[in-house]
Every structure is written in C-alpha cells, then in structure tokens.
Amino acid sequence: MNNIDINNISYEYHRGRQIFNNFSLQLKNGETTFLTGCNGCGKTTLTKLIMGIIKPTSGEIKIFGKRADSLSLGSMGEIIGYVFQYPERQLFSSSVMDELTFPLIFKGYNKIETFEKAKDLLKIFDLEKVKNSYPSLLSYGEKRRLAIASVLMVVPKYLILDEPTASLDNHRIDALSDVLIELKNRKIGMLIISHNKTFIEKHKDRVIKLEGGQIYE
Ligand SMILES: Nc1ncnc2c1ncn2[C@@H]1O[C@H](COP(=O)(O)OP(=O)(O)O)[C@@H](O)[C@H]1O
Ligand SMILES: [Mg+2]
C-alpha cells in the first residue's frame, strides 16, 4: 500500500509560473524518501500540496487511501507530522513548554502523560534550558528543534521534514537521526527534503530528484 498517492496533479501559483503539470508520485508505507533538487524547483510546494495547504488545479492526492481534499487541515495534521522549512511559521505559543503541551491538553489528552512526553522531547532536542522562553526569541536551530519536537508529541502516521538539518550542528543532527531511526523501526514513512549527504546516506530507502516538474530516481 502507498501512504501517499499523487496522481496527475497540476499546480501554478497565482501570477506565478507552473510548477507541476501532470505530476505523479507514489510514496510507500514505511519507506524513507529523500527529495532533492535545486532551489526553487518546487520541493516545498510539493509538501504543501500533500498537506492540503495549497490545492492542485487538477489531479488528486490520496493520503492513506483518503482524498486529501476531504480532510481538514486539523485531521491532516493528525495523520502527517509536517515540519516547515521555516519553523517560526509553526510556533504560536508563549513558551516552549506550552508549544509542546497546549495542543494536546486542549484536545483532552492526559496532562501528566503530556508533560512527561514533553520533558522527554525537551531532553532529546536539548531544549530544557529554554523551556520557559518565548519561542519567537529562540535561535534558529532551537526553533527548528522545537518545531520537530512539537510534531512528535503525537507519533504521526507519516512524517514530512523540509530541510530539517539546516542550522543544526552535527551533534544535534545526530540526536535527530536517533529519533528518525526509532520512527523508522516503528514503520513510520517519511519524506525528507535535504541536501546533507551524510544524513541522506544514513537514512535513505529512496532518493528522488525534482527537476523541471519531473521526478528522477
Ligand atoms: N506563494 C508563492 N507565490 C508565487 N510563487 C511562489 C510562492 N511560493 C513559491 N513560489 C515560487 O515557486 C517556485 C518553487 O518554490 P519552492 O517550492 O519553495 O521551491 P524549493 O522548495 O524547491 O526551493 C519558486 O520559483 C518560488 O519562487
Ligand atoms: Mg523549499
């Protein structure tokens, strides 16, 4: 079975150029796929199409067999964990701890378990020292680690990371790698946009390149 089925989609930005014309791509269960390609070729656009943040002008996208356009952004977020290329766009709370715990507590998850989970992630991503800080005042690397931690508060069925190693130093990339290996062992499929060769070599099942709106394997 495929986690993500993209069939013959087309997309162009309003007053922008056409990025995809009859584009198809299948992403399999449990597989870690790396997406590469030059700046501006449409990698981030593809992830936003998958998430339903933007809609294709034609064609269809299926997520675990369901049409993406039938899912609300909220229910999509529960299926696919998505970390934006610019992580500040997904940080909303007034403290790091709140950023991790508030959405779950709001939904009625158990408080004690939620805080325990948050503490584990703060430790893994080396954010304990800033747990009471405003997310907007964090360094770029801290924001990225927080954005990754926040989508992992609930284990997603699939994970999309847009340039996750940008602005992380090597030991933080290693910590992220350990988490990805654990998710892979749990058969969570992933689509990762990255140009970091060591990181790609370590985790890849498949590497695809986007160029001129086409995929090259
Ligand atoms: N909101 C937008 N409106 C118009 N054009 C956009 C918008 N976002 C991205 N683009 C353009 O779409 C192309 C693909 O962008 P993007 O998907 O961000 O590329 P990548 O992630 O591969 O660097 C680029 O030419 C970019 O300038
Ligand atoms: Mg991008």
Side-chain angles (χ1 to χ4, degrees):
M1 187 184 153
N2 293 321
N3 288 161
I4 296 176
D5 261 306
I6 302 171
N7 293 309
N8 300 311
I9 61 158
S10 298
Y11 187 75
E12 63 191 271
Y13 282 107
H14 180 59
R15 291 199 289 182
R17 59 188 184 82
Q18 182 157 47
I19 314 282
F20 296 108
N21 183 16
N22 262 325
F23 175 90
S24 296
L25 175 68
Q26 273 69 44
L27 299 170
K28 286 201 200 86
N29 266 354
E31 212 168 67
T32 302
T33 303
F34 279 89
L35 174 61
T36 65
C38 64
N39 247 330
C41 68
K43 303 180 299 296
T44 295
T45 303
L46 180 61
T47 61
K48 288 183 179 167
L49 283 162
I50 293 171
M51 290 307 292
I53 297 169
I54 53 177
K55 313 274 182 213
T57 46
S58 62
E60 69 160 25
I61 300 175
K62 283 189 170 172
I63 309 295
F64 291 88
K66 283 191 193 141
R67 280 188 67 118
D69 56 12
S70 71
L71 298 164
S72 67
L73 282 183
S75 46
M76 182 67 90
E78 284 171 8
I79 302 172
I80 303 184
Y82 178 51
V83 180
F84 286 66
Q85 181 170 6
Y86 303 105
E88 61 274 19
R89 300 208 181 142
Q90 65 190 110
L91 304 175
F92 303 102
S93 300
S94 56
S95 81
V96 166
M97 190 52 132
D98 266 10
E99 188 67 48
L100 296 179
T101 55
F102 179 75
L104 273 70
I105 289 171
F106 184 73
K107 282 183 207 150
Y109 282 73
N110 178 289
K111 263 194 183 175
I112 294 167
E113 285 169 19
T114 300
F115 276 92
E116 286 306 313
K117 178 78 188 167
K119 279 185 203 154
D120 289 347
L121 286 165
L122 289 174
K123 188 161 187 190
I124 290 169
F125 289 103
D126 195 16
L127 292 166
E128 286 161 309
K129 285 191 286 285
V130 294
K131 69 172 194 262
N132 298 317
S133 306
Y134 276 107
S136 59
L137 299 179
L138 299 179
S139 75
Y140 207 72
E142 286 166 342
K143 281 180 186 162
R144 184 174 305 285
R145 274 140 51 210
L146 176 57
I148 298 171
S150 69
V151 306
L152 296 177
M153 281 296 290
V154 178
V155 177
K157 290 173 78 178
Y158 194 87
L159 184 64
I160 298 178
L161 303 171
D162 194 346
E163 310 213 7
T165 65
S167 69
L168 296 193
D169 47 38
N170 282 332
H171 79 274
R172 265 120 189 193
I173 295 176
D174 288 344
L176 174 61
S177 278
D178 291 345
V179 173
L180 297 188
I181 289 166
E182 200 184 310
L183 293 171
K184 170 138 181 105
N185 289 338
R186 295 166 79 163
K187 309 271 186 281
I188 314 282
M190 294 176 242
L191 177 66
I192 307 176
I193 298 174
S194 178
H195 295 99
N196 180 328
K197 290 205 173 72
T198 332
F199 189 70
I200 294 175
E201 276 310 310
K202 194 167 191 171
H203 299 288
K204 67 165 187 191
D205 292 315
R206 180 182 179 198
V207 182
I208 55 181
K209 185 175 182 189
L210 185 59
E211 199 181 306
Q214 301 290 328
I215 287 292
Y216 296 88
E217 306 255 349

